[in-house]
Amino acid sequence: MKFTEFNFDSGLLEGIEAANYIKTTPIQELVIPHILNGKDVMAFAQTGTGKTAAFLLPLINNVLTKKAGTGIKCMIIVPTRELAVQISQHLEGLSYFTPISSIAVYGGGDGNDFIQEKNALIKNAEFVVCTPGKMMAHIKMGYVNLDGLQYLVLDEADRMLDMGFYNDIMFIIGKLPQKRQTLLFSATMAPKIKTLAHKILHQPIEVSLSLSKPPEKLCSRHLWFMTSKKYRSSFIC
Ligand code: AMP
């Protein structure tokens, strides 16, 4: 499927072109329409499938095109600083030709990092990509305006639970507006993920994509996949 079929903002399409994405990957084709339709989504997909752009693209488009008040619009919670940096760079690349603002918030930095993050949060960066513990620390300081938040993504949710972030995640979610769109991405379908999903998602669309082989570098070969609807196809770059 071509990205032009989604009626994306022209600046976003420029970013997609600059990233040299010609066609959607299977996970993108499956979840982007649901996210654009405002549905909560629970997606089971591994790294290497293009899952990051599968949620970034429709969310960037929504933030660009839907009128909303001030404040942080979208929070993406991830398990590690490495993933926070990676997603943040991905976001900056795809939104390069748009006025979207973003900040990565993660542990392990020094006092300067904390002040930089605090300033971006006070100025209401539209996208925040964060690890749970550090985000919780900022929220507890009282200057983070979450009243206008519309989109929440939990990426690699299974890993976050394995790392013991359940309470931190639930603390953060407790501070968010109840009326929001929530997306949960996980590599596995562990029962604890389903329990978490049941608590925080509203009538989610479930998408499952399992590769027949472990993911390697995307675009280097065929990726065979199977969805929950027993739909089988191939993707060739
Ligand atoms: P991810 O699964 O999100 O970690 O993405 C794996 C890699 O696939 C990243 O390097 C992305 O830039 C790349 N990628 C994502 N979507 C596409 C696409 N539609 N076409 C080509 N490469 C893509």
Side-chain angles (χ1 to χ4, degrees):
M1 199 170 168
K2 288 188 174 162
F3 289 100
T4 42
E5 292 176 52
F6 292 121
N7 202 17
F8 280 151
D9 169 86
S10 58
L12 179 57
L13 284 172
E14 272 189 78
I16 294 169
E17 204 182 326
N20 213 12
Y21 296 175
I22 313 296
K23 283 185 176 174
T24 54
T25 66
I27 188 72
Q28 291 163 3
E29 185 169 338
L30 285 168
V31 304
I32 288 175
H34 294 304
I35 300 176
L36 290 173
N37 277 339
K39 300 282 185 198
D40 280 8
V41 174
M42 171 164 52
F44 298 100
Q46 297 178 357
T47 297
T49 55
K51 69 176 172 66
T52 312
F55 61 78
L56 284 182
L57 292 171
L59 293 180
I60 294 169
N61 192 69
N62 282 355
V63 169
L64 283 170
T65 55
K66 294 193 176 168
K67 279 194 183 141
T70 55
I72 296 163
K73 309 277 187 331
C74 176
M75 184 183 290
I76 300 166
I77 309 181
V78 303
T80 63
R81 64 181 285 168
E82 289 75 21
L83 192 58
V85 170
Q86 197 182 309
I87 293 181
S88 185
Q89 289 171 347
H90 208 139
L91 172 61
E92 278 174 27
L94 292 172
S95 63
Y96 186 81
F97 300 98
T98 76
I100 290 285
S101 58
S102 63
I103 177 77
V105 170
Y106 48 81
D110 56 20
N112 283 338
D113 289 330
F114 199 93
I115 291 167
Q116 213 181 333
E117 291 169 5
K118 177 182 173 183
N119 289 341
L121 290 168
I122 289 172
K123 282 185 190 152
N124 295 327
E126 287 160 311
F127 278 76
V128 176
V129 186
C130 58
T131 52
K134 190 71 177 293
M135 193 65 223
M136 195 169 74
H138 280 290
I139 291 174
K140 283 184 174 170
M141 303 286 277
Y143 44 72
V144 186
N145 176 6
L146 296 166
D147 296 347
L149 186 130
Q150 295 167 296
Y151 310 103
L152 170 69
V153 182
L154 298 186
D155 191 24
E156 303 203 358
D158 48 350
R159 229 171 129 197
M160 288 202 277
L161 295 188
D162 288 346
M163 290 168 75
F165 285 134
Y166 178 82
N167 288 338
D168 294 6
I169 291 170
M170 294 314 283
F171 171 89
I172 296 170
I173 291 177
K175 304 288 176 195
L176 305 180
Q178 290 208 339
K179 193 175 173 300
R180 57 165 200 268
Q181 187 177 5
T182 306
L183 314 174
L184 183 150
F185 281 74
S186 173
T188 59
M189 287 192 214
K192 58 188 175 184
I193 287 295
K194 296 243 176 185
T195 308
L196 174 69
H198 187 70
K199 277 196 177 139
I200 64 167
L201 300 176
H202 177 68
Q203 298 181 342
I205 304 283
E206 193 175 320
V207 174
S208 174
L209 182 138
S210 55
L211 301 177
S212 57
K213 289 182 186 173
E216 289 170 15
K217 199 165 179 257
L218 199 65
C219 299
S220 60
R221 60 179 176 78
H222 290 61
L223 290 177
W224 285 89
F225 72 99
M226 190 180 293
T227 74
S228 54
K229 292 174 189 153
K230 307 288 176 215
Y231 166 51
R232 193 169 164 83
S233 181
S234 65
F235 171 69
I236 314 166
C237 290

